[in-house]
Amino acid sequence: MFIRTVAEDTSLDAFREEIRSFCETELPAEVRRKQSAGQHLEREEYDDWLKRLGAKGWLTGKWPAEHGGHGWSPEQHLIFSEELGRAGAPPIVPFGAVMAGPVIYTFGSEAQKQQHLPGIMKNDVWWCQGYSEPGAGSDLANLKTKAVRDGDDYIVNGQKIWTSQAHWADWIFCLVRTNSDGKKQQGISFLLIDMKTPGIEVRPIISIALGHHLNEVFFTDVRVPASNLIGEEGNGWTYAKFLLANERVGNVDIAKFEHYLDELRKLTANTHEGGRPLSEDPSFKRRIAELEVNLATVKALMADQLAATREHGGAPTMMGAAALKLRGTELQQSIMQANVDVLARYGLVYQTDALHAGWNGEAIGPEATAGLMYEHLYRRAATIYGGSSEIQKNIIAKGALGL
Amino acid sequence: MPGFDSDERKLLDESLQSFLTDTYDFEAFKRHMRTEDGPGFSTQAWSQYAEQGWLGVALPEYAGGIGGGMTELAIVLAAAGRHLALEPFIGTLVTGAMAIEKAGTAGQQAILADVAGGTKMLALCHAEPQAGYARDYVATIARKDGDAYVLDGEKSFTLHAHAADVLVVSARVGDASGPAQLFLVPRDASGATLNVAPALDGRQGATVTLNGIQVGSDARLGDNDDDRLDLISDIIDLGVLGSCAEAVGAMAAVTDICVDYLKTREQFGQPLSKFQVLQHRLVDMSVSTEEARASVHAALQSVDDKRPGAKTAIWHAKVQTCRSARFVGAQGVQLHGGMGMTDELVVGHYYKRLAQLEAMFGDAEWYLGQLSMA
């Protein structure tokens, strides 16, 4: 039950202060403004900010010192994310720092470490994640993208889908099939592929939020040096699972949703019903209280995971990560839904033009409307991506309950 | 008395379904919604609905209508919802036309013939920025000026207001303590400024700013000075019921689409429909849809039979429909996985339409609040 003690740790106050004051002075005003208005960032301005963090080594602060990180504890990483959120900065892009990097330094060769880790640390290289395929979503091991050995190369053919930021990425880490015999999981390998390689085509997917964030990536006879294989051929599933557990902990994005809960408080104060602010309405007060409870619970689950992480030598438990992903994403959706329920009083207007800087039309309703609506629609995917809620429940059923 | 028996209703439903299936598929929907500089719907389809007599199902015979009740109109709206039709059904046929039919003078009711004929569209512009979902909050003022009225105020975003020929606008006569009345204001009246914008579900609408709009005394709906808030509330209730009927049609479509998809989508070596947890999810969607349908049906009968509990029945139906719509719409996306998140698949458009309908005239929480205070 209540075994582990997590002592209140004031030793990190100075650390927090350092991050906070850095954000205050270094976060470009335009990025802050866009984030607060919920507008889309251009790659260049995002890149500029990430490079500033990279110069401090903070994108990869969690990495062990031997691989160039600061060896941050999970608590420190959490504080870092919280402070970014508080400052109104965009979250760090996880594909290199959180996903590819740890796989490379844990399972990669010396040459791979030297080639890739510095670029990830400094954000000189943008990564994307080549996991899902049209026929391999929840059943990820069913993937069909083939890599056939040809001399010193692999020839890759196939298709990935739901690839976030593929249109911005320089490299993609990919799960590919190198063997079709035996158990599905056994013939999978983990390949790093330069997006500039001939034969790669990126096609945009427009989402229900009417934004472009996702892509399809097509591979036609793409020649990849065999030296880009991570670890051993056929062992990719092990690395993939290692990475997915990392992704799940990162997925909860607590700081961002504390911000959206603040937005909700602001919206209810500024939105009227029958001439009175909604913040005086007992049902909205109660609803906000309920969301606060849910948020506190998710934070408690998270703290518990952090403690467990220490005991398990750096990796979160699959079960704890699954529970956190499940409830964390439900929380995200209910906070956004509450915001939208307030915005509905203005007619549920969705002016997507307002998501782009420089729009000079007349916004209807609160300034944050379009950004909040976008986030609401986008987060409908939170219970789908990174292993759907149904899959998380399967993991808990099998792994924790032994069913 | 509504003049439709069960067979006639069935025939109405079948003819609508077959027409919309033939002419209003997903591609047509996207084309109508996104035609550059278009109104966000098909004016041609609207004319065709008129030719088929569907715009007049609930309009009185003197206006060229068929004299049916809310039930007949709900059949039309449910079909519209099932096919994601984008046209201004509720503003024109429900809130707009019914306000004029119930409160208008004979002269004003003449416009209903144009409504049935598909040549005039209407929109009820009642809600205001400070009103939220409250129905009794009107700050727009209609100042008497000799034989005319001068309107000043601001109306919240109303679906299809940008396409309406006539706006039915609420305003208090004289000053803030005056009786609330309704006025027929041409959309292009001098002093009317519309800010046209897309709604979540891709349809368009507008906010309306009234800045010293002059209208004649014949623009005031009806011929007495009484406060019209009760009438306005009754009209909104019919709008609520109409939006619920549309939502029921949309939910039925989502459930069907999900059943079909899960039968064909294979993961882990078998169709998703073989997983019991997903079967139960589909069952819950189907039962939720059925609950909404039954509660809306009960409310329709109360209204058409003029039963004393009609208002409560409508509010019950609204709460149930909102609950069902939220669940069914969200599951439609969830069960399609990533595909459900794309603009390319119809199910996401249903999700957005259901969210829009849920919010129309108030959400479940608001109605529960009202019911708890009644």
Side-chain angles (χ1 to χ4, degrees):
Chain A
M1 281 293 134
F2 313 111
I3 308 302
R4 291 187 207 102
T5 302
V6 182
E8 190 84 49
D9 190 350
T10 55
S11 67
L12 294 174
D13 288 357
F15 174 78
R16 185 185 288 278
E17 186 48 42
E18 187 189 0
I19 309 274
R20 187 174 297 184
S21 67
F22 179 86
C23 289
E24 268 167 28
T25 54
E26 294 289 318
L27 180 65
E30 176 63 2
V31 173
R32 193 192 304 260
R33 189 198 65 74
K34 277 189 164 183
Q35 281 293 109
S36 129
Q39 291 181 340
H40 297 320
L41 295 176
E42 301 298 327
R43 186 185 190 275
E44 299 76 58
E45 54 194 350
Y46 208 160
D47 187 57
D48 171 60
W49 167 240
L50 293 174
K51 281 197 164 75
R52 291 185 203 211
L53 294 172
K56 305 284 285 183
W58 287 353
L59 293 175
T60 53
K62 217 162 54 159
W63 292 10
E66 56 177 309
H67 301 304
H70 293 306
W72 283 351
S73 66
E75 286 85 351
Q76 282 174 296
H77 182 72
L78 186 62
I79 288 171
F80 172 66
S81 306
E82 278 175 3
E83 289 304 318
L84 289 190
R86 188 192 306 270
I92 67 167
V93 177
F95 306 112
V98 180
M99 299 183 184
V103 168
I104 292 170
Y105 68 63
T106 309
F107 306 106
S109 67
E110 265 323 301
Q112 286 168 340
K113 290 179 205 170
Q114 281 175 18
Q115 183 185 359
H116 295 295
L117 298 184
I120 294 174
M121 283 188 268
K122 297 196 174 66
N123 208 60
D124 287 337
V125 178
W126 285 63
W127 285 79
C128 64
Q129 178 184 29
Y131 270 34
S132 299
E133 297 183 7
S138 288
D139 186 8
L140 184 59
N142 196 39
L143 58 95
K144 300 268 190 294
T145 295
K146 246 191 176 142
V148 178
R149 187 70 186 243
D150 179 44
D152 286 340
D153 296 330
Y154 285 102
I155 312 285
V156 180
N157 279 286
Q159 183 198 348
K160 295 292 176 183
I161 195 167
W162 318 126
T163 319
S164 300
Q165 294 179 358
H167 56 304
W168 283 2
D170 305 300
W171 280 74
I172 182 169
F173 57 91
C174 259
L175 293 181
V176 293
R177 182 158 299 287
T178 41
N179 189 343
S180 303
D181 305 331
K183 246 185 111 191
K184 286 188 296 192
Q185 285 81 354
Q186 282 164 0
I188 294 172
S189 298
F190 198 107
L191 263 189
L192 312 178
I193 304 177
D194 186 336
M195 290 292 281
K196 286 187 289 294
T197 320
I200 298 180
E201 190 199 344
V202 177
R203 292 186 204 158
I205 297 174
I206 303 303
S207 74
I208 59 172
L210 306 180
H212 172 205
H213 163 79
L214 301 168
N215 301 276
E216 294 176 281
V217 183
F218 294 86
F219 299 85
T220 312
D221 295 330
V222 177
R223 194 166 274 276
V224 181
S227 57
N228 286 5
L229 178 77
I230 289 284
E232 288 169 41
E233 188 178 290
N235 222 0
W237 190 249
T238 314
Y239 318 141
K241 279 199 303 187
F242 166 86
L243 185 152
L244 273 181
N246 280 336
E247 181 187 0
R248 272 166 203 149
V249 175
N251 256 338
V252 177
D253 248 341
I254 288 285
K256 191 162 186 181
F257 285 85
E258 285 187 309
H259 164 76
Y260 287 124
L261 197 49
D262 279 340
E263 286 290 316
L264 176 62
R265 292 188 192 95
K266 268 191 251 169
L267 281 184
T268 55
N270 296 325
T271 301
H272 293 75
E273 194 138 85
R276 298 170 66 93
L278 275 183
S279 52
E280 291 175 11
D281 179 336
S283 79
F284 264 97
K285 286 186 183 174
R286 193 185 162 96
R287 185 144 177 211
I288 289 172
E290 221 172 311
L291 290 170
E292 285 167 346
V293 171
N294 296 349
L295 180 76
T297 303
V298 168
K299 282 173 112 171
L301 285 173
M302 184 115 164
D304 222 44
Q305 262 312 101
L306 290 176
T309 303
R310 269 196 303 271
E311 289 177 14
H312 290 82
T317 67
M318 208 66 176
M319 270 19 92
L324 190 55
K325 174 25 169 87
L326 191 62
R327 289 296 184 248
T329 53
E330 287 168 359
L331 173 69
Q332 293 175 349
Q333 292 182 342
S334 48
I335 289 175
M336 295 323 295
Q337 182 68 60
N339 275 294
V340 168
D341 287 347
V342 178
L343 294 175
R345 273 131 174 118
Y346 301 92
L348 223 52
V349 178
Y350 187 33
Q351 293 166 295
T352 49
D353 290 340
L355 294 168
H356 304 282
W359 181 63
N360 50 16
E362 192 188 332
I364 295 171
E367 195 203 352
T369 300
L372 290 169
M373 297 282 275
Y374 180 89
E375 187 72 20
H376 167 70
L377 289 169
Y378 170 69
R379 291 290 169 177
R380 294 316 308 172
T383 48
I384 296 169
Y385 57 60
S388 70
S389 290
E390 288 80 3
I391 291 296
Q392 305 302 332
K393 288 180 185 176
N394 284 348
I395 290 171
I396 297 169
K398 285 197 190 107
L401 307 182
L403 302 173
Chain B
M1 280 297 285
F4 282 63
D5 61 28
S6 299
D7 286 340
E8 287 166 326
R9 284 176 180 164
K10 199 158 168 250
L11 197 65
L12 173 64
D13 188 36
E14 284 168 359
S15 60
L16 280 154
Q17 298 292 351
S18 109
F19 178 84
L20 290 168
T21 302
D22 290 346
T23 64
Y24 220 108
D25 62 9
F26 183 41
E27 290 309 311
F29 159 79
K30 283 193 284 190
R31 199 170 56 246
H32 298 329
M33 179 168 62
R34 291 176 177 162
T35 298
E36 193 97 24
D37 298 323
F41 60 84
S42 167
T43 50
Q44 192 199 348
W46 193 252
S47 304
Q48 288 170 324
Y49 305 150
E51 280 164 31
Q52 300 285 340
W54 296 327
L55 302 185
V57 283
L59 286 169
E61 285 167 21
Y62 67 75
I66 310 174
M70 266 313 278
T71 306
E72 284 70 36
L73 188 48
I75 290 170
V76 175
L77 292 164
R82 181 177 261 280
H83 295 270
L84 285 178
L86 297 150
E87 288 69 38
F89 288 97
I90 290 177
T92 299
L93 302 183
V94 188
T95 47
M98 291 191 174
I100 293 170
E101 186 190 337
K102 283 181 190 290
T105 61
Q108 289 163 336
Q109 285 168 347
I111 195 179
L112 297 177
D114 296 332
V115 169
T119 56
K120 283 261 194 307
M121 294 178 184
L122 309 169
L124 175 69
C125 296
H126 172 62
E128 302 188 5
Q130 298 281 308
Y133 293 139
R135 297 174 174 187
D136 55 359
Y137 186 91
V138 180
T140 298
I141 301 295
R143 187 167 47 82
K144 265 194 119 150
D145 182 16
D147 219 18
Y149 291 94
V150 180
L151 299 174
D152 281 285
E154 245 187 280
K155 294 294 177 182
S156 296
F157 180 85
T158 305
L159 274 180
H160 296 123
H162 67 299
D165 300 279
V166 177
L167 307 173
V168 184
V169 175
S170 58
R172 291 193 181 273
V173 177
D175 57 33
S177 60
Q181 290 263 342
L182 291 169
F183 295 84
L184 303 178
V185 179
R187 186 197 69 219
D188 55 7
S190 160
T193 308
L194 275 71
N195 184 6
V196 183
L200 172 69
D201 69 354
R203 291 186 289 180
Q204 295 176 29
T207 60
V208 182
T209 307
L210 308 119
N211 193 359
I213 296 180
Q214 285 216 1
V215 290
S217 58
D218 59 346
R220 190 194 64 176
L221 204 60
D223 55 9
N224 68 64
D225 294 330
D226 299 345
D227 184 86
R228 296 286 200 183
L229 279 177
D230 286 345
L231 170 86
I232 291 169
S233 186
D234 289 346
I235 297 298
I236 292 175
D237 279 335
L238 296 176
V240 167
L241 193 49
S243 64
C244 289
E246 188 180 332
V248 168
M251 281 187 263
V254 172
T255 307
D256 288 351
I257 289 167
C258 286
V259 168
D260 287 346
Y261 181 72
L262 263 57
K263 282 183 187 167
T264 53
R265 170 77 176 168
E266 293 202 5
Q267 290 281 270
F268 306 104
Q270 54 180 333
L272 288 179
S273 60
K274 294 291 172 205
F275 292 89
Q276 194 178 37
V277 72
L278 299 183
Q279 288 177 353
H280 286 188
R281 194 83 55 82
L282 289 171
V283 168
D284 283 335
M285 291 169 73
S286 170
V287 173
S288 287
T289 303
E290 191 54 19
E291 286 176 310
R293 194 199 58 74
S295 68
V296 171
H297 195 194
L300 287 168
Q301 294 186 60
S302 286
V303 169
D304 282 341
D305 293 352
K306 301 189 169 52
R307 293 179 201 163
K311 189 182 190 71
T312 307
I314 292 173
W315 288 18
H316 288 176
K318 172 69 170 164
V319 173
Q320 179 58 52
T321 303
C322 285
R323 285 176 181 163
S324 298
R326 186 161 287 195
F327 175 70
V328 172
Q331 289 306 318
V333 172
Q334 181 74 21
L335 291 179
H336 280 74
M339 287 307 297
M341 283 298 295
T342 66
D343 185 58
E344 273 172 68
L345 227 67
V346 74
V347 74
H349 294 273
Y350 279 106
Y351 171 75
K352 293 192 272 188
R353 174 66 64 92
L354 284 168
Q356 197 81 41
L357 290 168
E358 214 195 306
M360 237 178 149
F361 310 114
D363 60 12
E365 273 300 308
W366 189 81
Y367 282 92
L368 281 173
Q370 299 298 304
L371 284 164
S372 69
M373 285 185 287

